[in-house]
Amino acid sequence: MSLNACELEIDLFCHGLRVPEDVSLSGARGVSRTRAGLGSGLEVVIPAASYLKDEIWVNVPVVERFARTSPYRLTGGSLEGYAIADDRDAARYRVRLPREPAWYARQTSSDVTMNRIGVLQGTYLGIYVNSMCAFWDAEPRLNCRFCTTGQNVGANEAPVKTVSDVLETCWAAKEESGVTFVHLNGGFMGGRGLEFIKPYVKAIKEEVGLLVGVQLAPERDFSQYDALVALGVDHFSFCIELLDPEWFKRVCPGKARVHGQELYFRAMEYCTHLLPYGAVSGEIIAGLEPVDKTIEAIDRITAAGAFPTVCIFRPTVGSNLEAWSPPAYDDMRKVMQHMYDACRRHWLPIGAAPNIEVSLVVNPDDAAMLAERTLGFYCYEAYRRLMRVAARPAFWRRMQTG
């Protein structure tokens, strides 16, 4: 049975993709083992053939162990002429591979290659701003068990990223790749992460004019968030990861010991009152804890006025969970359908920001393709279209320099 674009996206996250040796990836974006390692897949764009979306971006697992036995196989050999074949039923899905931008290989003025500063993940620019999460330096280590930041920062990306290097990379991504949004994230810095990131936010807003998102460990001094909003931050995201307390302690020992789960929720809820409705997100991982807990987490996030970004668990190469199995498609489809329905119930304006397609997760507006066609669905979709139009002037103003 043929899958729609979102269903295919979910199944690719769950099964990965085989790339035969005779299929050339010349010109495509390379597999980027940067940041936490979740971008260690092949960037693929799936035509949606739907009035809901033109296309869906997905970072498909290709190097992980489970991908070797995937029923999906890449065919073709030009950036516009690829297809994904499903060997279970001979279904074929036309896809394209986005081209690697020329600026990736360019040097900053301090002789750092730009793709060691930031990389595209979908249509946005991701930059890991600090040197390394402190949980990797603890004895014993307290790093999150799905993460490979400690292996990537300083190896596949620059260990130190100066403000000038970040600015030059942002300019290149904006001018040559049409980027509108840069996501600045980092690991635990012992309570000084929000202070550390302020010069980056200030410089990008004043000199480049991009929308800026910040994802850092929560801090108990919530006035730091007020200060970042005053500098122009457009979006905060909080890596809640897991709702079940035992799973949280097991998978995220550092976060459990230093922060505690509730701090993530309190910080997220505080920030929803600082920014426009729907400009804050709570990030969770689906496929580790029981599905009912993931659904409960989605409901708590949306009830707070934030939108959920749900990452399908990927047993990343080199992580402590490398040998674990990915989740089942049926479970993940249920989660993503609930994610969309929860956003609809709370009238969250998902998909309103210009040109932001995140390839690492199933975007909430991707999941509109999974929803039952009810009166509530059509009313919400009409509201979303209205919000996209109404929000354009506000986003345009927020992307001005100075």
Side-chain angles (χ1 to χ4, degrees):
M1 183 179 67
S2 181
L3 304 177
N4 69 36
C6 183
E7 290 170 332
L8 178 60
E9 176 187 26
I10 295 169
D11 212 26
L12 286 169
F13 274 130
C14 293
H15 286 103
L17 175 69
R18 290 178 289 118
V19 182
E21 292 183 3
D22 61 348
V23 175
S24 171
L25 300 179
S26 177
R29 292 186 192 174
V31 173
S32 299
R33 284 192 53 77
T34 56
R35 305 203 291 175
L38 294 180
S40 57
L42 181 67
E43 293 275 298
V44 172
V45 182
I46 307 169
S50 168
Y51 69 92
L52 295 167
K53 294 198 77 165
D54 294 328
E55 56 188 20
I56 284 179
W57 291 66
V58 54
N59 185 272
V60 184
V62 293
V63 298
E64 284 77 12
R65 188 178 306 178
F66 71 95
R68 300 172 194 167
T69 57
S70 172
Y72 291 109
R73 171 173 47 87
L74 188 67
T75 67
S78 68
L79 294 180
E80 301 297 332
Y82 288 99
I84 291 177
D86 186 344
D87 290 340
R88 294 170 296 189
D89 58 9
R92 287 175 62 84
Y93 303 92
R94 184 174 61 87
V95 298
R96 68 179 177 88
L97 306 187
R99 186 177 296 276
E100 182 162 290
W103 60 263
Y104 264 29
R106 196 173 304 147
Q107 302 285 305
T108 68
S109 55
S110 59
D111 296 325
V112 180
T113 309
M114 286 188 176
N115 70 350
R116 288 177 57 80
I117 301 296
V119 294
L120 299 175
Q121 293 180 321
T123 61
Y124 78 97
L125 178 65
I127 300 178
Y128 190 94
V129 286
N130 59 11
S131 54
M132 190 190 298
C133 176
F135 291 144
W136 282 84
D137 291 329
E139 186 59 46
R141 281 184 176 172
L142 295 173
N143 61 284
C144 295
R145 300 315 190 204
F146 53 79
C147 179
T148 59
T149 294
Q151 301 169 24
N152 299 330
V153 176
N156 301 320
E157 60 179 294
V160 176
K161 302 173 181 72
T162 66
V163 172
S164 62
D165 285 341
V166 167
L167 283 179
E168 291 175 34
T169 303
C170 286
W171 263 118
K174 178 181 179 179
E175 293 185 333
E176 300 176 34
S177 298
V179 162
T180 59
F181 175 68
V182 57
H183 193 234
L184 306 177
N185 77 331
F188 176 55
M189 295 185 68
R192 56 187 179 88
L194 296 179
E195 186 67 37
F196 175 85
I197 209 169
K198 288 177 183 177
Y200 295 88
V201 173
K202 185 175 187 293
I204 293 169
K205 295 300 293 187
E206 291 183 351
E207 300 184 39
V208 186
L210 292 174
L211 299 173
V212 175
V214 169
Q215 183 186 81
L216 291 170
E219 297 180 17
R220 289 176 171 80
D221 179 7
F222 287 175
S223 67
Q224 293 274 35
Y225 295 111
D226 295 81
L228 282 166
V229 169
L231 290 174
V233 162
D234 303 282
H235 167 69
F236 287 112
S237 55
F238 296 90
C239 291
I240 296 163
E241 315 295 19
L242 301 153
L243 185 66
D244 184 275
E246 291 305 315
W247 275 99
F248 185 74
K249 286 191 290 186
R250 180 181 180 185
V251 177
C252 306
K255 291 183 175 185
R257 180 180 299 184
V258 175
H259 303 124
Q261 248 177 338
E262 284 304 308
L263 180 60
Y264 287 84
F265 283 106
R266 291 202 308 273
M268 180 189 73
E269 290 160 1
Y270 181 85
C271 289
T272 61
H273 299 291
L274 299 181
L275 291 174
Y277 188 61
V280 176
S281 66
E283 185 170 307
I284 54 175
I285 301 171
L288 285 175
E289 65 183 343
V291 167
D292 288 348
K293 284 295 181 182
T294 303
I295 287 174
E296 186 180 340
I298 289 170
D299 288 339
R300 183 167 178 184
I301 291 166
T302 54
F307 70 90
T309 51
V310 184
C311 178
I312 293 177
F313 168 64
R314 181 180 303 195
T316 309
V317 174
S319 72
N320 296 101
L321 303 182
E322 176 181 0
W324 285 44
S325 298
Y329 166 80
D330 288 342
D331 287 342
M332 295 302 98
R333 192 188 190 286
K334 176 182 178 182
V335 166
M336 300 310 169
Q337 183 172 355
H338 186 87
M339 172 182 66
Y340 174 84
D341 288 342
C343 291
R344 178 185 59 78
R345 289 195 303 273
H346 292 279
W347 295 91
L348 285 160
I350 55 176
N355 189 36
I356 302 177
E357 296 293 338
V358 184
S359 62
L360 301 183
V361 301
V362 177
N363 295 279
D365 56 320
D366 294 354
M369 297 180 189
L370 310 176
E372 185 180 352
R373 300 306 194 257
T374 62
L375 177 60
F377 167 84
Y378 289 111
C379 289
Y380 180 53
E381 286 303 309
Y383 161 77
R384 290 209 306 119
R385 284 194 291 274
L386 177 63
M387 289 301 296
R388 282 198 297 272
V389 174
R392 284 174 190 165
F395 282 120
W396 182 85
R397 288 193 297 271
R398 297 189 72 89
M399 289 190 286
Q400 301 306 300
T401 57

